[in-house]
Amino acid sequence: AEQAVINVFDHALLYGDGVFEGIRIYHGKIFKEQEHIQRFFESAKVIRLTLPMSPEQLSRAMYDTIRANGVTGDGYIRLVVTRGVGALGISIRRTANPTIIIIVDTISLYPVEVYERGLHCIISSITRNHVNALNPRIKSLNYLNNVLAKAEAHAAGADEAIMLGIDGHVCECTGDNIFVVRNGELLTPGTWEGLLEGIPRAVVMELARKRGIPVRETSLVRHDLFVAQEVFASGTAAEIVPITDISGIPVGDGKPGRITKQLTEDFAAYRNGV
Ligand code: PMP
């Protein structure tokens, strides 16, 4: 951290021009490596950025960085590509070489008590970026939309914010996807709503189907959150975390639900098994 530097003319710093990934290391191994590399390449493609490395070179570089940092157990990788150094002005023609940054760090988690009591959420007054403006499927370095909603949650004394799209449809939390359980069915907003196509999100859907729980990607509104029996969030860092209070209305009986607990166990078994 003391030696790594970034040029002040890098367009990532000046304009948030770049993309990133947050990846887990479990038992020294990169979790869902191919999926993260694919999403990284897709984000880069959509912002017209050609990555200066192949997927294989990227994988080798990540493992080299894990080794250089002496991580043999669990950890976290932040993979970043910047537009590169260029003259002032937003044109991508002004930049030359994208810079790849690989940070290996410890994982920053919610404290255990949050998993026991569940997250307390607000519904943010800040609209999620529209799919035709800056599609949240791009994991871009421009995260202010999320940063502001998270700050709003903290200012209100809550842990997290649920973000809605311009039409009032539920999108996701500020750094996690969202799931709702109602009448034995697992529901989650579809990617068309404006959300990151989370990698744990896909795992949760797969695990639920294996348990015989019907899963559906659908449009949800505020009301669906309030009448849900269970709500939880999924993400790389948090894995699965219950949501037990939304705008002061308890979710179900206000305690983490049965299906949330089952899927949490299934997720732990799954990531220990791969
Ligand atoms: N939504 C947003 C906005 C996120 O930043 C993240 C990642 N922290 C997720 C969902 C979860 O997706 P994943 O864990 O695959 O990165």
Side-chain angles (χ1 to χ4, degrees):
E2 292 77 30
Q3 292 160 20
V5 290
I6 182 97
N7 190 301
V8 293
F9 284 93
D10 195 306
H11 281 207
L13 178 67
L14 292 169
Y15 307 116
D17 190 351
V19 297
F20 76 105
E21 280 294 316
I23 309 172
R24 275 279 197 129
I25 308 162
Y26 293 114
H27 318 299
K29 233 182 125 228
I30 300 173
F31 181 65
K32 293 277 171 189
E33 184 184 21
Q34 289 320 309
E35 286 82 349
H36 281 286
I37 289 178
Q38 184 182 338
R39 195 171 65 182
F40 191 56
F41 271 79
E42 287 173 356
S43 290
K45 182 176 187 189
V46 178
I47 72 156
R48 301 168 192 269
L49 191 156
T50 307
L51 283 160
M53 289 169 106
S54 69
E56 296 72 31
Q57 286 172 322
L58 204 52
S59 171
R60 271 198 296 280
M62 286 197 285
Y63 274 106
D64 286 347
T65 315
I66 290 173
R67 266 190 297 279
N69 283 277
V71 173
T72 51
D74 295 349
Y76 182 81
I77 303 174
R78 175 56 56 87
L79 179 60
V80 181
V81 61
T82 76
R83 184 71 68 182
V85 174
L88 293 177
I90 61 168
S91 172
I92 63 174
R93 292 191 194 141
R94 289 169 171 261
T95 57
N97 301 312
T99 303
I100 300 249
I101 301 168
I102 301 171
I103 300 169
V104 171
D105 202 356
T106 52
I107 183 85
S108 144
L109 293 171
Y110 282 122
V112 242
E113 56 271 22
V114 168
Y115 288 86
E116 285 155 13
R117 71 159 159 84
L119 287 175
H120 294 177
C121 291
I122 59 157
I123 296 177
S124 182
S125 70
I126 294 162
T127 301
R128 189 77 181 101
N129 283 333
H130 190 267
V131 290
N132 287 334
L134 177 60
N135 196 320
R137 284 177 79 178
I138 304 168
K139 201 161 166 63
S140 90
L141 292 178
N142 198 316
Y143 246 53
L144 262 181
N145 186 230
N146 314 47
V147 168
L148 294 179
K150 185 82 174 179
E152 186 185 24
H154 286 164
D159 303 302
E160 181 48 313
I162 298 167
M163 302 187 76
L164 309 180
I166 191 75
D167 48 11
H169 292 181
V170 177
C171 294
E172 58 181 340
C173 298
T174 67
D176 293 299
N177 293 114
I178 192 164
F179 285 90
V180 162
V181 176
R182 184 143 190 264
N183 302 336
E185 201 182 10
L186 187 64
L187 307 171
T188 196
T191 51
W192 61 85
E193 301 288 6
L195 52 100
L196 185 73
E197 200 174 359
I199 291 162
R201 173 181 178 274
V203 173
V204 166
M205 291 197 277
E206 183 189 326
L207 294 172
R209 288 191 177 113
K210 269 198 197 133
R211 270 202 181 261
I213 301 166
V215 182
R216 199 153 48 92
E217 287 177 81
T218 186
S219 294
L220 298 167
V221 293
R222 207 184 286 257
H223 188 90
D224 296 304
L225 299 173
F226 294 141
V227 299
Q229 280 108 27
E230 301 180 33
V231 179
F232 65 85
S234 74
T236 288
E239 298 185 337
I240 293 175
V241 58
I243 293 174
T244 50
D245 186 287
I246 301 172
S247 301
I249 300 181
V251 175
D253 62 0
K255 296 195 189 81
R258 184 176 55 86
I259 290 177
T260 305
K261 284 184 191 159
Q262 285 174 345
L263 291 172
T264 303
E265 284 167 23
D266 290 354
F267 193 92
Y270 180 89
R271 56 117 155 113
N272 286 332
V274 289

